[in-house]
Amino acid sequence: MNRHYFKGWAITCLQRMGIVAIACIGFLTACTQSRTTQTLDRFTNAQQETLEGNELNVTAGTSWLAEGDYKNFILKGEALTQSDGDARLRFHTDGKTGYDVIFHNGPIDGSRKTGSLASVRNLYRSLAKDNTWFPFEIAVRGKNITVSIQDTTVVCYTEPAQPYRTEEHTGQRLNHGTIALCGMQGNVSFRNLQITPLPDDARNACDTMPAIDEQQDAVIRFQQQDFPVIDYHVHLKGGLTKEMAQAMSMNYGINYGVAPNAGEGGVGRMLANDDEVYAYYDEVKDMPFLCGVQGEGRKWTATFSQEALGIFDYLFTDAMTIVDHKGRLSRIYRPEEVHYDGISKEQYMDHLVDQTVKILTNEPADIFANPTYLPEDMQADYDTYWTDKRINQVLDVLQKYQIALEINARYRIPSLKIIRMAKERGIKFTFGTNNVDANFGKLEYSLEAVQACGLTLDDLWFPTMSIRQTRPVVIYNKF
């Protein structure tokens, strides 16, 4: 996609979505004035029992249907989830078919979170907390569905003319129907539910992008299997703003983990000290992203406190910056900084592996990013340099310190052979891009590797698995 076109679209769309929302407010005002807002305070189950009142408590195994039939609408309310509570608000339903919006909070553990359009746009970080009332809004206008949590849009999905649906999800189609509340686990409460029917020709003024061609799209196939699609390695640089990243994430159906660089020598948003860490986190904590950070260079462990970096959901680092055999700091992705100085490339490779082991041993990270990257003039012989002995040296330290292995979509590394070897050892995986601008892909290699290597949900890493804050920081380099 042309970056300038997308940037223009994203700015226009997000301005209307609330960042500069004057046009969209006028549009919604006109729509809501066209029909009378109704209170949803009476629901019935299959046994004709009723659930009534302004505040409704939904428990596991129960299902309640409202009166009325709705096509286009705006539904607003508040929800409160108790610990481990999980419920669905279903719309365009006869009780079984329709779309579900999930209400389930808690840590980032691989379970689908509040605001998810279930199995179509699954989300893995919630903007809401347990035991606290939070506002939500669900809107259907034509073929477009939006979900907002805490006044932030987290889903903007347009159903294509030919949506991809598995047999299990054939009922996920826009049509018309009632509203249902379905308890899955624990207790979830709803209150102040109000629905405003909209005209049949209502449209979302913010929905300016063509719908995804789901017959050709890989991501929707993973969504339909409830297989988490998370890009943990997205940087705000090269023209990519957090607003554009939000729009892209919703359009593609990929959860983004947005990360600045903490340290020196990188490209894009760089953090220099603890104060900048806290200021950056305040900027992004209410955005619908996972919040990560990259340890950049080899001095970051001495520059930042564990306490400051601990506010992020996860931390990753790589071995693309090493201390070379002459004691020089070398960014190996820059050919002009790669010096052999009389040693062979095989000897250089041994040193690179030794540096990788030291980095992963002494710098407490959750994820090994850009793994097995080689200098440009060695890449053609990747399989020759990455011998089983060298691979196992790296996998040993990943396994010892429970560090996840990133499957990097940009560089298409590590190789499928290495992924299979890591899987056999029980090492967990994440997906990442390491973009240079706003014009990057959709985790193509990462998703190909899942299928080629037979990865399952049990092979994936999530932030609840992190042990980095239990590990000591070791200052091992002498600059």
Side-chain angles (χ1 to χ4, degrees):
M1 180 183 296
N2 181 276
R3 180 169 69 87
H4 298 293
Y5 172 79
F6 188 90
K7 182 176 181 180
W9 167 79
I11 292 171
T12 300
C13 180
L14 287 164
Q15 283 175 341
R16 291 171 177 167
M17 288 171 69
I19 296 168
V20 181
I22 295 171
C24 209
I25 289 171
F27 170 80
L28 291 176
T29 301
C31 288
T32 55
Q33 288 176 344
S34 66
R35 300 288 177 93
T36 301
T37 298
Q38 305 163 15
T39 298
L40 296 180
D41 57 5
R42 188 176 190 276
F43 290 74
T44 305
N45 65 11
Q47 290 74 41
Q48 297 305 304
E49 298 169 325
T50 59
L51 182 66
E52 295 184 272
N54 182 59
E55 185 174 317
L56 307 167
N57 183 44
V58 180
T59 57
T62 62
S63 183
W64 305 90
L65 271 67
E67 298 175 350
D69 187 90
Y70 306 96
K71 182 178 180 183
N72 293 332
F73 63 84
I74 297 174
L75 171 59
K76 297 182 179 182
E78 296 175 274
L80 183 146
T81 60
Q82 295 185 13
S83 180
D84 295 325
D86 188 347
R88 307 286 191 267
L89 191 154
R90 186 170 296 157
F91 59 90
H92 280 206
T93 185
D94 56 6
K96 297 180 180 179
T97 61
Y99 283 96
D100 284 6
V101 175
I102 292 174
F103 290 82
H104 172 63
N105 297 315
I108 306 170
D109 57 3
S111 63
R112 297 175 295 173
K113 299 303 183 187
T114 292
S116 296
L117 188 64
S119 305
V120 176
R121 290 292 182 265
N122 290 327
L123 308 175
Y124 295 93
R125 175 179 179 254
S126 178
L127 297 182
K129 305 295 183 185
D130 283 330
N131 302 308
T132 302
W133 287 101
F134 59 90
F136 68 88
E137 178 181 300
I138 302 166
V140 176
R141 291 174 286 242
K143 291 294 185 179
N144 180 257
I145 302 167
T146 57
V147 180
S148 296
I149 303 296
Q150 299 276 42
D151 301 317
T152 297
T153 304
V154 295
V155 169
C156 183
Y157 171 73
T158 299
E159 183 183 277
Q162 293 183 296
Y164 176 85
R165 298 291 183 265
T166 61
E167 183 176 352
E168 180 183 356
H169 298 298
T170 53
Q172 290 181 322
R173 298 290 294 267
L174 287 172
N175 191 359
H176 65 89
T178 191
I179 307 296
L181 302 176
C182 306
M184 309 301 291
Q185 177 177 302
N187 295 306
V188 178
S189 297
F190 297 89
R191 73 182 182 188
N192 301 329
L193 296 179
Q194 294 189 319
I195 189 166
T196 304
L198 301 178
D200 287 348
D201 61 355
R203 295 295 179 267
N204 182 2
C206 305
D207 180 31
T208 60
M209 286 291 289
I212 297 292
D213 180 2
E214 294 185 354
Q215 297 304 309
Q216 304 298 322
D217 183 55
V219 174
I220 189 63
R221 285 158 171 75
F222 283 81
Q223 291 275 10
Q224 286 278 286
Q225 299 173 52
D226 296 329
F227 192 102
V229 185
I230 305 172
D231 188 337
Y232 285 88
H233 197 159
V234 176
H235 294 301
L236 300 179
K237 63 182 180 182
L240 180 67
T241 66
K242 56 182 178 291
E243 293 82 14
M244 290 174 66
Q246 178 185 2
M248 291 168 64
S249 173
M250 292 189 297
N251 190 48
Y252 295 161
I254 299 174
N255 289 238
Y256 283 170
V258 173
N261 294 320
E264 58 184 28
V267 179
R269 182 71 178 268
M270 299 292 299
L271 306 180
N273 52 52
D274 282 2
D275 287 342
E276 292 188 8
V277 166
Y278 290 119
Y280 170 84
Y281 185 77
D282 284 341
E283 287 180 32
V284 300
K285 61 183 174 63
D286 295 325
M287 298 291 288
F289 309 129
L290 282 75
C291 298
V293 64
Q294 176 172 2
E296 181 67 38
R298 300 277 66 90
K299 301 178 182 179
W300 65 270
T301 52
T303 304
F304 303 91
S305 69
Q306 287 280 74
E307 180 182 10
L309 295 180
I311 66 176
F312 292 98
D313 297 326
Y314 60 95
L315 184 151
F316 61 89
T317 195
D318 59 32
M320 294 177 77
T321 298
I322 64 169
V323 177
D324 75 7
H325 57 292
K326 294 285 189 178
R328 298 164 296 201
L329 207 60
S330 171
R331 292 171 290 188
I332 66 172
Y333 55 92
R334 295 190 174 187
E336 68 273 15
E337 294 187 19
V338 177
H339 304 288
Y340 300 106
D341 291 333
I343 65 172
S344 68
K345 290 183 178 178
E346 284 288 343
Q347 291 172 309
Y348 188 91
M349 185 67 193
D350 285 335
H351 182 78
L352 176 58
V353 171
D354 179 67
Q355 278 287 296
T356 300
V357 170
K358 287 180 177 178
I359 289 166
L360 297 174
T361 298
N362 297 299
E363 300 179 16
D366 295 311
I367 302 168
F368 179 31
N370 304 309
T372 70
Y373 182 88
L374 296 179
E376 188 175 294
D377 64 349
M378 296 174 66
Q379 290 174 8
D381 297 310
Y382 177 98
D383 290 332
T384 299
Y385 290 118
W386 279 110
T387 62
D388 284 358
K389 178 181 177 181
R390 289 167 175 156
I391 293 168
N392 282 316
Q393 284 180 266
V394 175
L395 297 185
D396 283 345
V397 71
L398 294 181
Q399 189 172 21
K400 180 178 181 179
Y401 295 108
Q402 299 177 42
I403 301 168
L405 182 64
E406 176 184 89
I407 302 176
N408 186 273
R410 173 182 170 190
Y411 297 118
R412 298 181 67 84
I413 52 176
S415 67
L416 297 180
K417 172 186 173 180
I418 294 175
I419 293 171
R420 293 186 180 107
M421 290 175 67
K423 175 180 166 62
E424 288 178 2
R425 285 168 163 255
I427 292 167
K428 304 295 185 180
F429 299 92
T430 63
F431 310 145
T433 295
N434 187 16
N435 60 300
V436 295
D437 55 27
N439 193 18
F440 59 100
K442 299 169 66 176
L443 292 175
E444 288 85 355
Y445 178 68
S446 306
L447 301 184
E448 291 168 16
V450 169
Q451 296 177 315
C453 300
L455 302 185
T456 69
L457 180 63
D458 290 337
D459 294 311
L460 301 186
W461 181 92
F462 299 101
T464 49
M465 301 176 183
S466 174
I467 65 165
R468 78 174 188 274
Q469 295 194 64
T470 69
R471 295 178 56 195
V473 174
V474 179
I475 308 302
Y476 63 103
N477 277 315
K478 308 300 180 184
F479 295 101

